[in-house]
Amino acid sequence: MPKKVDHEVRRRHIAEALHRVIDRNGLDAVSLREVAAEAGVSMGMVQHYFATKDEMLMFALEHLNARVGLRIAAARNRDSPRELVRAAVLELLPLDDERRTEARIALAYLARSVVAADLADLLRAALPHVIGFYAEQIRIAQGDGQVPANLDPEREATILFALVQGLVNPALIGHYTPEAVVAAVDYHLDRLFPCGNP
Amino acid sequence: MPKKVDHEVRRRHIAEALHRVIDRNGLDAVSLREVAAEAGVSMGMVQHYFATKDEMLMFALEHLNARVGLRIAAARNRDSPRELVRAAVLELLPLDDERRTEARIALAYLARSVVAADLADLLRAALPHVIGFYAEQIRIAQGDGQVPANLDPEREATILFALVQGLVNPALIGHYTPEAVVAAVDYHLDRLFPCGNP
């Protein structure tokens, strides 16, 4: 019996090669040829799994999101909404090599999304989940008296999400140290959850 | 007497063509050939003014920053630090066609800066000016009793800058309307300058 090829594993293998290329040189440099070389497979193999560069980019983004999502899910056993939000937020910030790489790749996708409608659709579909999660935790904490009742959970979630996204580039280009990034997040969370420290 | 060529005007003309190309297709698509076609000049002319693509990108970014800077300077005659900060912040957000175009281009530069050291240097050098301006206005407003004394001007400036940057992509891909973007900014400014309404 011939060995069964696990197509999902192959696709993920190619997606990870794609992300190493993006991390090294940005999205400009991405070609099927370069990804095939990085993955150690033929161009025909890449084309077998991905008809176009955009299809490959979309799959790889979903793979990246799933990976970050798993880490956020693993942080679910926190003591308070504040700690849960904090853990989820810090997974998106370039605080170590793994998250730096992910943040560089995510930024490349963000820039491309404003000229690639498919990618914009994918990102737009994901935003309500992330922002909604923050809003939900803020509402829960308000119910427990950990967040001031006069704060608007939706607006606060919008602001928190934007704040986190906006810290990525200055951190990546070395304007902020990882410690300064965490301090800015904690400063803002102190305001949002003044009674939410465990 | 032969007509004197205004080299600065030529360089700006090419820079604006470059930005139309970036706005249309992102930074991926930029080539000297395409910029020359867009500017209606020869490739030799583009190469006369810019030895490399990176040199052209750097000049064009400075040109863009200068244009936005002029609009911010024109907003200096505001009644209060809050109104001044608000006007400066809104110039960076994609609230109309001109600012949408600028924001799309700025985002392309941000993404490239994490893989292009020259561009990272340029952006990093600019950050203290923008963030320092916010901090200065917050300190002035604190002196006038318009901002709570317990707020940290530097941290607040860091957070405000990040928040504004982080609103750009969701606004560009249509997750927020321009009105929702302004409402989020005003919600945050209400907190920062609770006594700063004119």
Side-chain angles (χ1 to χ4, degrees), chain A residues 28 104 110-114 124 127 131 151-152 155-156 158-159 162-163 166 169 173 175-176 183 187 191, chain B residues 28 104 110-114 124 127 131 152 155-156 158-159 162-163 166 169 173 175-176 183 187 191:
Chain A
D28 298 31
R104 288 155 65 96
L110 281 191
R112 189 176 171 89
S113 72
V114 306
R124 208 167 42 238
L127 285 173
I131 299 171
L151 299 188
D152 178 330
R155 289 248 191 269
E156 293 294 350
T158 289
I159 286 168
L163 156 58
N169 177 271
I173 63 173
H175 182 67
Y176 298 124
Y187 178 92
R191 151 161 70 214
Chain B
D28 298 29
R104 287 155 64 96
L110 281 192
R112 188 175 172 87
S113 71
V114 304
R124 207 168 42 237
L127 285 173
I131 299 172
D152 178 330
R155 289 250 191 268
E156 293 293 350
T158 289
I159 287 168
L163 156 58
N169 176 270
I173 63 173
H175 181 68
Y176 298 124
Y187 177 92
R191 152 161 68 213

Side-chain angles (χ1 to χ4, degrees), chain B residues 43-123:
Chain B
M43 279 185 64
M45 169 82 82
V46 175
Q47 286 168 318
H48 173 72
Y49 286 106
F50 303 104
T52 64
K53 175 175 161 179
D54 275 324
E55 195 182 312
M56 183 168 65
L57 286 170
M58 301 276 278
F59 175 82
L61 177 60
E62 284 170 2
H63 175 56
L64 177 68
N65 283 344
R67 208 170 73 180
V68 177
L70 282 177
R71 294 208 312 271
I72 292 176
R76 282 261 174 190
N77 60 339
R78 299 285 162 157
D79 290 335
S80 65
R82 173 181 172 144
E83 288 303 306
L84 180 48
V85 166
R86 182 177 190 271
V89 156
L90 297 186
E91 287 299 342
L92 302 179
L93 287 166
L95 302 175
D96 57 23
D97 283 347
E98 182 176 17
R99 283 175 284 179
R100 273 184 76 80
T101 298
E102 289 169 355
R104 287 155 64 96
I105 294 166
L107 190 58
Y109 278 112
L110 281 192
R112 188 175 172 87
S113 71
V114 304
V115 290
D118 282 3
L119 200 50
D121 291 343
L122 191 69
L123 291 180

Side-chain angles (χ1 to χ4, degrees), chain A residues 78-118:
Chain A
R78 298 286 161 156
D79 290 335
S80 65
R82 174 181 171 143
E83 288 304 305
L84 180 49
V85 166
R86 183 177 188 271
V89 156
L90 296 187
E91 286 299 342
L92 302 178
L93 288 166
L95 302 175
D96 57 22
D97 283 347
E98 182 176 17
R99 285 174 283 180
R100 273 184 78 80
T101 298
E102 289 168 354
R104 288 155 65 96
I105 294 166
L107 190 59
Y109 278 112
L110 281 191
R112 189 176 171 89
S113 72
V114 306
V115 290
D118 283 2

Side-chain angles (χ1 to χ4, degrees), chain B residues 136-153:
Chain B
E136 179 196 7
Q137 293 303 315
I138 292 168
R139 271 191 300 270
I140 291 171
Q142 270 182 331
D144 292 346
Q146 292 168 9
V147 164
N150 65 321
L151 299 188
D152 178 330

